[in-house]
Amino acid sequence: MTTTFPDISISTERLVLRPFEDADAPAYAEMMNDEMVTAWTSVPQPYTEADARDWITRLAPAERTEGRGIALAVTEFLTQRLVGVVRLCNTDWRLRAGELSYVVAPWARGEGYASEAALATAQWLFNDQAFERIELRTAADNTAAQQVAQKIGCISEGVLRGAWIARTRNGGDPFGGWIEVRTDLIVWSLLPEDLEGVSDSLAESGFSAFSDWN
């Protein structure tokens, strides 16, 4: 069984999640070169605009059309600036399941954008794509990613020991080179029924997570 994702745009109260565009390349490259993104992801470093354009024009579209996943640029509704990315990968269409991840730009952290974007994507996957399970994997020391998982209703299922390689500055020197460190992964799951009440809870924080898609 093979299928693909539609060319989708998802709107929330504060955000628009849409396909990446060529004009996103400079901001996307800047976001991917951030210290926290470098530490917790496997993106090449330094991450150049050429890397960003290759992702935007070739790799991300291929993931969607081949049914392997979907990547959406997270932008502010009012300013239209790029503030993050939410991505589904490792899609299993027979199980209707996939792995969700998210990155927020350093200039947009502390606003709850990761939770808002992740929840809107999960709602779309469950309601429109008939998904039955979404999985998240967060590095053991990445507390920010774990807080997002908890906010959107995910359930912790266990730990994969030594299953990820994070990066840290050599000797803690902020100007030193990066070294790789093996770490554990916490596995989280989200099922359709886990979303009950989550939108209301986030709305109490000052925003509604989902409004429309097209």
Side-chain angles (χ1 to χ4, degrees):
M1 178 180 181
T2 303
T3 188
T4 63
F5 292 101
D7 200 12
I8 190 73
S9 176
I10 303 172
S11 298
T12 73
E13 183 176 287
R14 303 185 299 169
L15 303 172
V16 176
L17 284 60
R18 56 161 176 79
F20 276 92
E21 302 170 352
D22 288 347
D24 295 322
Y28 186 68
E30 183 180 355
M31 179 170 64
M32 290 295 105
N33 279 307
D34 175 66
E35 295 273 310
M36 288 184 64
V37 176
T38 301
W40 300 120
T41 72
S42 59
V43 296
Q45 290 298 323
Y47 195 87
T48 66
E49 283 195 29
D51 293 323
R53 294 188 192 283
D54 188 45
W55 166 253
I56 290 169
T57 61
R58 184 177 66 87
L59 298 176
E63 279 197 357
R64 184 183 67 80
T65 57
E66 295 170 9
R68 293 182 283 113
I70 186 170
L72 296 170
V74 180
T75 63
E76 285 181 330
F77 177 76
L78 292 178
T79 67
Q80 299 184 22
R81 68 172 180 168
L82 182 71
V83 295
V85 56
V86 61
R87 181 186 179 198
L88 186 82
C89 62
N90 299 327
T91 303
D92 187 320
W93 288 100
R94 180 173 176 270
L95 294 177
R96 290 280 167 172
E99 182 181 337
L100 192 70
S101 60
Y102 34 82
V103 170
V104 174
W107 53 85
R109 290 180 186 142
E111 301 292 335
Y113 286 160
S115 301
E116 189 169 347
L119 180 57
T121 304
Q123 290 174 318
W124 171 69
L125 288 167
F126 289 146
N127 296 332
D128 192 69
Q129 298 295 299
F131 267 53
E132 295 293 339
R133 174 183 167 90
I134 297 172
E135 187 173 292
L136 291 80
R137 299 186 177 197
T138 63
D141 292 329
N142 190 350
T143 55
Q146 293 163 29
Q147 288 171 355
V148 172
Q150 292 171 330
K151 285 181 180 178
I152 67 173
C154 292
I155 304 299
S156 176
E157 293 187 333
V159 175
L160 299 176
R161 297 184 299 163
W164 187 248
I165 295 177
R167 289 178 284 207
T168 186
R169 287 293 189 184
N170 191 3
D173 181 356
F175 302 103
W178 292 97
I179 59 173
E180 295 184 339
V181 180
R182 187 168 291 276
T183 187
D184 298 340
L185 283 178
I186 301 175
V187 179
W188 307 79
S189 67
L190 189 67
L191 305 182
E193 56 265 30
D194 296 330
L195 292 185
E196 295 179 8
V198 172
S199 293
D200 293 338
S201 176
L202 289 180
E204 292 174 0
S205 301
F207 67 88
S208 57
F210 174 79
S211 58
D212 195 15
W213 63 65
N214 55 63

XYZ file of all heavy atoms in Angstrom, residues 51-145:
745
model
N 22.433 23.953 1.134
C 21.774 22.833 1.806
C 20.280 23.102 1.934
O 19.444 22.218 1.705
C 22.373 22.599 3.193
C 23.806 22.108 3.150
O 24.139 21.313 2.241
O 24.590 22.520 4.026
N 19.943 24.329 2.334
C 18.536 24.699 2.520
C 17.771 24.611 1.205
O 16.648 24.082 1.162
C 18.441 26.109 3.102
N 18.358 25.111 0.130
C 17.664 25.082 -1.164
C 17.505 23.651 -1.676
O 16.479 23.324 -2.290
C 18.418 25.941 -2.176
C 18.404 27.411 -1.825
C 18.975 28.295 -2.909
N 19.187 29.649 -2.408
C 18.222 30.535 -2.237
N 16.986 30.216 -2.554
N 18.488 31.738 -1.766
N 18.480 22.804 -1.416
C 18.363 21.404 -1.829
C 17.231 20.719 -1.075
O 16.461 19.933 -1.637
C 19.689 20.680 -1.581
C 19.705 19.279 -2.174
O 19.260 19.105 -3.335
O 20.161 18.345 -1.489
N 17.111 21.040 0.221
C 16.018 20.487 1.028
C 14.662 20.987 0.531
O 13.728 20.218 0.345
C 16.221 20.864 2.495
C 15.022 20.652 3.354
C 14.207 21.608 3.866
C 14.474 19.402 3.784
N 13.198 21.032 4.596
C 13.333 19.684 4.558
C 14.847 18.075 3.591
C 12.555 18.682 5.144
C 14.083 17.071 4.169
C 12.951 17.377 4.930
N 14.591 22.299 0.281
C 13.327 22.918 -0.106
C 12.869 22.469 -1.490
O 11.684 22.194 -1.705
C 13.458 24.454 -0.033
C 13.559 24.904 1.436
C 12.285 25.143 -0.726
C 13.952 26.357 1.600
N 13.787 22.392 -2.444
C 13.403 22.137 -3.835
C 13.410 20.670 -4.224
O 12.720 20.276 -5.166
C 14.339 22.897 -4.792
O 15.689 22.427 -4.608
C 14.273 24.385 -4.526
N 14.183 19.839 -3.492
C 14.317 18.442 -3.919
C 13.928 17.430 -2.837
O 13.037 16.597 -3.045
C 15.766 18.177 -4.371
C 16.003 16.775 -4.929
C 17.431 16.637 -5.419
N 18.417 16.720 -4.355
C 18.827 15.649 -3.634
N 18.317 14.441 -3.875
N 19.732 15.786 -2.678
N 14.557 17.509 -1.683
C 14.385 16.460 -0.679
C 12.998 16.477 -0.040
O 12.341 15.429 0.043
C 15.467 16.583 0.397
C 16.905 16.417 -0.098
C 17.894 16.650 1.034
C 17.114 15.031 -0.696
N 12.548 17.640 0.423
C 11.227 17.716 1.066
C 10.097 17.375 0.098
O 9.200 16.589 0.450
C 11.023 19.091 1.698
N 10.080 17.915 -1.130
C 9.017 17.523 -2.064
C 9.021 16.033 -2.380
O 7.951 15.423 -2.529
C 9.320 18.360 -3.312
C 10.066 19.544 -2.801
C 10.896 19.021 -1.677
N 10.208 15.428 -2.461
C 10.288 13.996 -2.752
C 9.705 13.172 -1.611
O 9.033 12.157 -1.845
C 11.736 13.587 -3.012
N 9.951 13.587 -0.364
C 9.365 12.881 0.777
C 7.845 12.845 0.673
O 7.212 11.821 0.924
C 9.777 13.554 2.100
C 11.140 13.184 2.605
C 11.333 13.520 4.074
O 10.400 14.099 4.674
O 12.398 13.196 4.615
N 7.266 13.986 0.297
C 5.803 14.062 0.227
C 5.257 13.235 -0.938
O 4.328 12.444 -0.764
C 5.356 15.525 0.090
C 3.842 15.700 0.111
C 3.436 17.142 -0.100
N 3.748 17.629 -1.435
C 2.986 17.379 -2.505
N 1.880 16.652 -2.394
N 3.324 17.862 -3.684
N 5.810 13.411 -2.135
C 5.260 12.740 -3.312
C 5.488 11.232 -3.278
O 4.720 10.476 -3.860
C 5.857 13.324 -4.597
O 7.284 13.209 -4.564
C 5.472 14.793 -4.744
N 6.541 10.811 -2.580
C 6.813 9.380 -2.454
C 6.111 8.759 -1.255
O 6.244 7.560 -1.005
C 8.325 9.142 -2.369
C 9.069 9.526 -3.647
C 10.572 9.508 -3.475
O 11.044 9.027 -2.409
O 11.282 9.992 -4.385
N 5.393 9.569 -0.486
C 4.621 9.054 0.632
C 5.416 8.745 1.878
O 4.910 8.125 2.811
N 6.669 9.207 1.935
C 7.512 8.901 3.095
C 7.277 9.851 4.259
O 7.574 9.529 5.410
C 8.983 8.930 2.693
C 9.365 7.822 1.722
C 10.835 7.846 1.380
N 11.161 8.892 0.414
C 11.903 9.960 0.664
N 12.400 10.149 1.880
N 12.160 10.860 -0.270
N 6.744 11.040 3.974
C 6.512 12.001 5.038
C 6.118 13.339 4.475
O 5.870 13.488 3.272
N 6.093 14.346 5.346
C 5.762 15.695 4.915
C 6.455 16.687 5.842
O 6.547 16.450 7.053
C 4.231 15.927 4.903
C 3.886 17.291 4.302
C 3.629 15.756 6.293
C 2.395 17.486 4.040
N 6.976 17.759 5.268
C 7.621 18.819 6.040
C 6.899 20.120 5.759
O 6.655 20.464 4.595
C 9.094 18.937 5.675
N 6.559 20.853 6.813
C 5.819 22.099 6.675
C 6.589 23.245 7.324
O 7.084 23.114 8.447
C 4.447 21.977 7.327
C 3.497 20.954 6.699
C 2.273 20.769 7.583
C 3.094 21.379 5.297
N 6.687 24.344 6.597
C 7.252 25.556 7.168
C 6.232 26.162 8.126
O 5.055 26.282 7.798
C 7.585 26.551 6.060
N 6.680 26.511 9.321
C 5.817 27.134 10.315
C 6.068 28.633 10.263
O 7.191 29.095 10.507
C 6.100 26.595 11.723
C 5.188 27.256 12.749
C 5.934 25.074 11.757
N 5.041 29.402 9.918
C 5.181 30.848 9.776
C 4.165 31.565 10.648
O 3.093 31.050 10.927
C 4.978 31.289 8.312
O 3.631 30.972 7.901
C 5.956 30.566 7.397
N 4.517 32.772 11.075
C 3.574 33.590 11.826
C 2.493 34.126 10.899
O 2.779 34.596 9.798
C 4.299 34.756 12.503
C 5.112 34.368 13.716
C 5.795 35.557 14.351
O 6.128 36.522 13.627
O 6.013 35.525 15.566
N 1.270 34.072 11.362
C 0.141 34.546 10.553
C 0.259 36.038 10.234
O 0.044 36.471 9.100
C -1.172 34.268 11.285
C -2.388 34.784 10.575
C -2.899 34.128 9.467
C -3.021 35.943 11.001
C -4.014 34.612 8.800
C -4.139 36.435 10.346
C -4.630 35.766 9.237
N 0.634 36.844 11.235
C 0.650 38.290 11.052
C 1.870 38.772 10.283
O 1.767 39.627 9.401
C 0.580 38.996 12.412
C -0.736 38.845 13.179
C -0.654 39.539 14.529
C -1.901 39.416 12.364
N 3.057 38.231 10.590
C 4.291 38.725 9.981
C 4.750 37.891 8.796
O 5.574 38.348 8.009
C 5.428 38.743 11.013
O 5.746 37.383 11.384
C 5.020 39.519 12.262
N 4.266 36.666 8.686
C 4.645 35.717 7.644
C 6.105 35.270 7.748
O 6.623 34.613 6.842
C 4.369 36.284 6.248
C 2.893 36.592 6.008
C 2.630 37.055 4.588
O 3.383 36.799 3.663
N 1.521 37.772 4.412
N 6.789 35.607 8.852
C 8.180 35.183 8.978
C 8.237 33.712 9.341
O 7.346 33.166 10.011
C 8.914 36.023 10.014
C 8.460 35.808 11.448
C 9.368 36.530 12.438
N 8.907 36.315 13.811
C 9.618 36.615 14.887
N 10.817 37.139 14.761
N 9.134 36.380 16.100
N 9.310 33.052 8.931
C 9.530 31.643 9.257
C 9.936 31.524 10.721
O 10.887 32.167 11.159
C 10.627 31.064 8.367
C 10.937 29.580 8.553
C 9.801 28.718 8.012
C 12.246 29.210 7.853
N 9.200 30.704 11.479
C 9.520 30.539 12.898
C 9.815 29.092 13.267
O 10.144 28.805 14.416
C 8.379 31.074 13.795
C 8.227 32.576 13.611
C 7.062 30.362 13.510
N 9.722 28.171 12.310
C 10.025 26.790 12.644
C 9.684 25.839 11.520
O 9.347 26.248 10.399
N 9.776 24.566 11.829
C 9.423 23.504 10.887
C 8.829 22.349 11.678
O 9.257 22.062 12.807
C 10.656 23.033 10.079
C 11.783 22.574 10.997
C 10.285 21.900 9.118
N 7.808 21.729 11.135
C 7.255 20.508 11.705
C 7.313 19.449 10.613
O 7.011 19.727 9.452
C 5.816 20.725 12.244
C 4.867 21.152 11.141
C 5.305 19.477 12.945
N 7.732 18.256 10.980
C 7.990 17.225 9.972
C 7.473 15.871 10.441
O 7.642 15.493 11.597
C 9.498 17.137 9.709
C 9.904 16.112 8.663
C 11.408 16.008 8.603
N 11.840 15.012 7.626
C 13.053 14.475 7.599
N 13.961 14.851 8.494
N 13.371 13.571 6.683
N 6.844 15.157 9.521
C 6.461 13.767 9.746
C 7.325 12.907 8.840
O 7.455 13.184 7.643
C 4.985 13.536 9.423
C 4.483 12.134 9.769
C 4.143 12.041 11.254
C 3.283 11.742 8.925
N 7.925 11.859 9.395
C 8.752 10.958 8.593
C 8.470 9.513 9.019
O 7.656 9.257 9.897
C 10.232 11.291 8.743
S 10.883 11.107 10.418
N 9.155 8.583 8.356
C 8.989 7.146 8.650
C 7.521 6.723 8.617
O 7.040 5.980 9.475
C 9.602 6.800 10.014
C 11.090 7.079 10.073
O 11.793 6.948 9.072
N 11.587 7.456 11.232
N 6.807 7.199 7.614
C 5.382 6.915 7.511
C 5.125 5.458 7.158
O 5.760 4.900 6.260
C 4.745 7.809 6.432
O 5.004 9.180 6.761
C 3.252 7.581 6.357
N 4.214 4.844 7.879
C 3.752 3.486 7.593
C 2.267 3.590 7.255
O 1.433 3.778 8.139
C 3.970 2.579 8.810
C 3.665 1.111 8.520
O 2.680 0.847 7.803
O 4.394 0.240 9.017
N 1.940 3.471 5.971
C 0.558 3.677 5.545
C -0.352 2.524 5.940
O -1.557 2.705 6.090
C 0.504 3.919 4.036
C 1.043 5.265 3.675
C 2.287 5.560 3.188
C 0.371 6.514 3.813
N 2.433 6.907 3.016
C 1.266 7.533 3.380
C -0.900 6.883 4.246
C 0.923 8.877 3.380
C -1.244 8.226 4.245
C -0.342 9.207 3.819
N 0.190 1.333 6.085
C -0.640 0.202 6.536
C -1.064 0.408 7.982
O -2.224 0.189 8.341
C 0.125 -1.105 6.383
C -0.663 -2.330 6.838
C 0.086 -3.614 6.505
N -0.623 -4.774 7.012
C -0.447 -5.297 8.227
N 0.426 -4.735 9.068
N -1.128 -6.354 8.630
N -0.131 0.867 8.811
C -0.442 1.129 10.220
C -1.048 2.507 10.428
O -1.555 2.800 11.511
C 0.832 1.018 11.062
C 1.475 -0.360 11.173
C 2.762 -0.266 11.989
C 0.508 -1.358 11.807
N -0.977 3.365 9.395
C -1.397 4.752 9.529
C -0.666 5.396 10.705
O -1.259 5.920 11.662
C -2.909 4.863 9.715
C -3.684 4.499 8.462
C -3.703 5.646 7.464
N -4.174 5.253 6.138
C -4.429 6.095 5.143
N -4.227 7.385 5.322
N -4.833 5.667 3.979
N 0.658 5.368 10.627
C 1.504 5.859 11.710
C 2.723 6.555 11.121
O 3.103 6.329 9.967
C 1.945 4.717 12.616
N 3.324 7.436 11.913
C 4.537 8.126 11.501
C 5.190 8.804 12.689
O 4.628 8.843 13.789
N 6.390 9.324 12.464
C 7.168 9.969 13.525
C 7.203 11.478 13.308
O 7.588 11.949 12.245
C 8.593 9.413 13.550
C 9.456 9.986 14.653
C 10.875 9.429 14.646
O 11.069 8.322 14.095
O 11.780 10.098 15.173
N 6.805 12.227 14.316
C 6.713 13.681 14.238
C 7.904 14.323 14.938
O 8.342 13.870 15.998
C 5.418 14.156 14.901
C 5.016 15.620 14.676
C 4.593 15.841 13.232
C 3.891 15.998 15.627
N 8.423 15.397 14.337
C 9.487 16.176 14.974
C 9.245 17.650 14.686
O 8.467 18.007 13.791
C 10.868 15.748 14.461
O 10.970 15.944 13.058
N 9.928 18.519 15.442
C 9.692 19.952 15.309
C 10.943 20.716 15.707
O 11.734 20.274 16.550
C 8.505 20.397 16.185
C 8.390 19.627 17.483
C 9.154 19.958 18.593
C 7.535 18.530 17.577
C 9.065 19.229 19.765
C 7.437 17.788 18.752
C 8.205 18.148 19.846
O 8.131 17.410 21.006
N 11.128 21.849 15.065
C 12.219 22.767 15.378
C 11.641 24.170 15.406
O 10.836 24.531 14.533
C 13.354 22.682 14.332
C 14.352 23.812 14.536
C 14.058 21.336 14.398
N 12.040 24.960 16.391
C 11.618 26.361 16.471
C 12.854 27.240 16.349
O 13.892 26.983 16.969
C 10.870 26.652 17.788
C 10.569 28.144 17.916
C 9.583 25.849 17.851
N 12.752 28.294 15.546
C 13.869 29.214 15.350
C 14.201 29.946 16.647
O 13.312 30.204 17.461
C 13.510 30.224 14.257
N 15.467 30.296 16.851
C 15.843 30.978 18.103
C 15.124 32.302 18.300
O 14.906 32.731 19.431
C 17.361 31.175 17.946
C 17.643 31.039 16.490
C 16.630 30.070 15.980
N 14.728 32.955 17.193
C 14.040 34.244 17.311
C 12.558 34.102 17.651
O 11.852 35.090 17.765
C 14.184 35.050 16.019
C 13.774 34.323 14.774
C 12.523 34.197 14.247
C 14.640 33.624 13.875
N 12.532 33.458 13.093
C 13.830 33.088 12.832
C 16.015 33.387 13.843
C 14.365 32.347 11.784
C 16.540 32.649 12.804
C 15.727 32.141 11.783
N 12.090 32.858 17.814
C 10.656 32.662 18.071
C 10.389 31.748 19.256
O 9.250 31.329 19.469
C 9.985 32.096 16.821
N 11.392 31.439 20.043
C 11.203 30.523 21.161
C 10.506 31.211 22.328
O 10.552 32.419 22.480
C 12.559 29.950 21.604
C 13.129 28.993 20.577
C 14.463 28.401 20.974
N 14.980 27.598 19.855
C 16.236 27.536 19.505
N 17.151 28.191 20.205
N 16.612 26.802 18.463
N 9.839 30.390 23.140
C 9.145 30.914 24.303
C 7.736 31.378 24.023
O 7.066 31.887 24.921
N 7.248 31.174 22.797
C 5.907 31.612 22.419
C 4.897 30.467 22.352
O 3.723 30.688 22.060
C 5.953 32.320 21.060
C 6.853 33.532 20.998
C 6.333 34.687 21.837
O 5.106 34.736 22.065
O 7.153 35.518 22.274
N 5.355 29.228 22.561
C 4.458 28.087 22.461
C 4.195 27.646 21.026
O 3.251 26.893 20.769
N 5.035 28.092 20.096
C 4.798 27.774 18.697
C 4.969 26.284 18.398
O 4.246 25.731 17.557
C 5.744 28.578 17.803
C 5.389 30.044 17.677
C 6.338 30.980 17.256
C 4.110 30.507 17.974
C 6.018 32.323 17.130
C 3.783 31.854 17.855
C 4.753 32.755 17.430
O 4.434 34.083 17.298
N 5.925 25.628 19.036
C 6.144 24.200 18.768
C 4.901 23.396 19.146
O 4.457 22.524 18.377
C 7.368 23.693 19.531
N 4.328 23.661 20.312
C 3.122 22.949 20.746
C 1.958 23.226 19.804
O 1.218 22.311 19.413
C 2.742 23.365 22.168
O 3.781 23.107 23.078
N 1.790 24.486 19.416
C 0.684 24.872 18.547
C 0.798 24.189 17.179
O -0.177 23.658 16.640
C 0.668 26.388 18.394
C -0.561 26.926 17.682
C -0.660 28.439 17.782
O 0.070 29.046 18.599
O -1.477 29.023 17.042
N 2.008 24.203 16.615
C 2.218 23.602 15.294
C 2.115 22.087 15.342
O 1.507 21.462 14.454
C 3.581 24.018 14.749
N 2.695 21.474 16.363
C 2.652 20.015 16.471
C 1.233 19.519 16.677
O 0.815 18.513 16.084
C 3.554 19.546 17.611
N 0.468 20.209 17.516
C -0.905 19.792 17.776
C -1.773 19.952 16.524
O -2.574 19.069 16.197
C -1.495 20.596 18.932
C -2.936 20.262 19.311
C -3.090 18.787 19.652
C -3.403 21.141 20.474
N -1.614 21.065 15.811
C -2.388 21.264 14.591
C -2.077 20.196 13.558
O -2.968 19.690 12.870
C -2.109 22.653 14.022
N -0.804 19.821 13.452
C -0.407 18.771 12.511
C -0.997 17.430 12.923
O -1.495 16.669 12.077
C 1.127 18.671 12.438
O 1.671 19.947 12.089
C 1.558 17.651 11.394
N -0.952 17.131 14.217
C -1.522 15.873 14.706
C -3.025 15.819 14.449
O -3.556 14.783 14.016
C -1.232 15.719 16.195
N -3.724 16.912 14.690
C -5.164 16.944 14.433
C -5.469 16.690 12.958
O -6.397 15.970 12.616
C -5.738 18.293 14.877
C -5.768 18.478 16.381
C -6.206 19.877 16.773
O -5.781 20.861 16.166
N -7.053 19.979 17.787
N -4.684 17.305 12.088
C -4.879 17.095 10.655
C -4.616 15.633 10.263
O -5.381 15.031 9.510
C -3.964 18.028 9.867
C -3.949 17.733 8.407
C -4.965 17.926 7.509
C -2.871 17.160 7.670
N -4.582 17.510 6.249
C -3.307 17.043 6.322
C -1.585 16.748 8.004
C -2.481 16.520 5.315
C -0.767 16.238 7.006
C -1.216 16.122 5.692
N -3.551 15.060 10.807
C -3.230 13.669 10.490
C -4.328 12.718 10.969
O -4.711 11.793 10.244
C -1.889 13.284 11.121
C -0.647 13.898 10.469
C 0.572 13.698 11.361
C -0.402 13.276 9.094
N -4.832 12.943 12.162
C -5.872 12.063 12.692
C -7.218 12.278 11.986
O -7.903 11.315 11.629
C -6.051 12.305 14.195
C -4.908 11.804 15.041
C -4.533 12.477 16.201
C -4.206 10.658 14.704
C -3.493 12.019 16.995
C -3.152 10.191 15.492
C -2.796 10.882 16.636
N -7.585 13.525 11.765
C -8.921 13.820 11.250
C -9.027 13.721 9.734
O -10.071 13.295 9.214
C -9.349 15.224 11.692
C -9.484 15.349 13.196
O -9.777 14.373 13.877
N -9.258 16.542 13.715
N -7.986 14.114 9.032
C -8.061 14.183 7.579
C -7.350 13.017 6.888
O -7.766 12.591 5.812
C -7.467 15.498 7.089
C -7.765 15.766 5.630
O -8.942 16.023 5.316
O -6.830 15.705 4.810
N -6.302 12.498 7.504
C -5.515 11.429 6.898
C -5.749 10.065 7.556
O -5.105 9.084 7.180
C -4.023 11.778 6.977
C -3.653 13.044 6.219
C -3.869 12.897 4.731
O -3.270 12.048 4.081
N -4.740 13.734 4.176
N -6.666 10.022 8.516
C -7.049 8.773 9.190
C -5.871 8.059 9.847
O -5.844 6.830 9.931
C -7.743 7.826 8.200
N -4.908 8.835 10.347
C -3.800 8.227 11.086
C -4.309 7.710 12.435
O -5.268 8.232 12.994
C -2.676 9.242 11.292
C -1.623 9.196 10.223
C -1.970 9.281 8.884
C -0.286 9.068 10.546
C -1.014 9.242 7.890
C 0.691 9.019 9.565
C 0.326 9.103 8.226
N -3.628 6.678 12.943
C -4.022 6.067 14.213
C -2.945 6.187 15.287
O -3.199 5.918 16.454
C -4.349 4.584 13.992
C -5.561 4.340 13.107
C -6.858 4.787 13.746
O -6.893 4.913 14.985
O -7.829 5.029 13.008
N -1.737 6.586 14.884
C -0.651 6.685 15.861
C 0.410 7.652 15.344
O 0.782 7.614 14.165
C -0.008 5.320 16.106
C 1.232 5.349 17.005
C 1.869 3.961 17.138
N 3.200 4.034 17.736
C 3.447 3.974 19.031
N 2.439 3.830 19.881
N 4.675 4.035 19.503
N 0.867 8.535 16.230
C 2.004 9.398 15.950
C 3.043 9.157 17.036
O 2.717 9.086 18.219
C 1.587 10.883 15.937
C 0.590 11.145 14.807
C 2.817 11.778 15.780
C -0.012 12.532 14.842
N 4.280 9.013 16.617
C 5.365 8.758 17.558
C 6.319 9.944 17.569
O 6.576 10.563 16.540
C 6.117 7.483 17.162
C 7.154 7.025 18.150
C 7.747 5.672 17.782
O 7.006 4.667 17.850
O 8.934 5.630 17.423
N 6.821 10.278 18.745
C 7.848 11.295 18.904
C 9.020 10.677 19.645
O 8.825 9.831 20.523
C 7.339 12.502 19.695
C 6.287 13.402 19.053
C 4.898 12.797 19.159
C 6.318 14.784 19.689
N 10.219 11.091 19.292
C 11.417 10.625 19.992
C 12.228 11.843 20.387
O 12.599 12.643 19.539
C 12.233 9.686 19.105
C 11.456 8.439 18.708
C 12.311 7.436 17.957
N 11.556 6.235 17.647
C 12.084 5.070 17.296
N 13.410 4.947 17.212
N 11.317 4.031 17.042
N 12.492 11.987 21.683
C 13.226 13.146 22.183
C 14.467 12.681 22.922
O 14.425 11.711 23.682
C 12.355 13.992 23.128
O 12.000 13.210 24.282
C 11.083 14.457 22.427
N 15.579 13.377 22.706
C 16.805 13.052 23.428
C 16.589 13.235 24.924
O 15.832 14.102 25.355
C 17.951 13.927 22.938
N 17.264 12.410 25.709
C 17.015 12.369 27.152
C 17.227 13.716 27.824
O 16.545 14.041 28.805
C 17.914 11.316 27.798
N 18.144 14.538 27.325
C 18.425 15.827 27.945
C 17.729 16.991 27.254
O 17.907 18.144 27.660
C 19.933 16.089 27.960
C 20.668 15.138 28.900
O 20.058 14.733 29.912
O 21.829 14.802 28.611
N 16.941 16.711 26.237
C 16.253 17.779 25.507
C 14.905 18.052 26.179
O 13.850 17.624 25.717
C 16.074 17.389 24.044
C 15.594 18.546 23.189
O 15.212 19.596 23.695
N 15.611 18.356 21.879
N 14.950 18.790 27.269
C 13.739 19.017 28.064
C 12.701 19.848 27.318
O 11.499 19.660 27.521
C 14.090 19.706 29.393
O 14.809 20.916 29.122
C 14.966 18.802 30.257
N 13.143 20.769 26.458
C 12.187 21.590 25.718
C 11.324 20.733 24.805
O 10.099 20.898 24.743
C 12.933 22.644 24.899
N 11.932 19.788 24.106
C 11.176 18.899 23.220
C 10.238 18.008 24.026
O 9.117 17.709 23.593
C 12.125 18.046 22.385
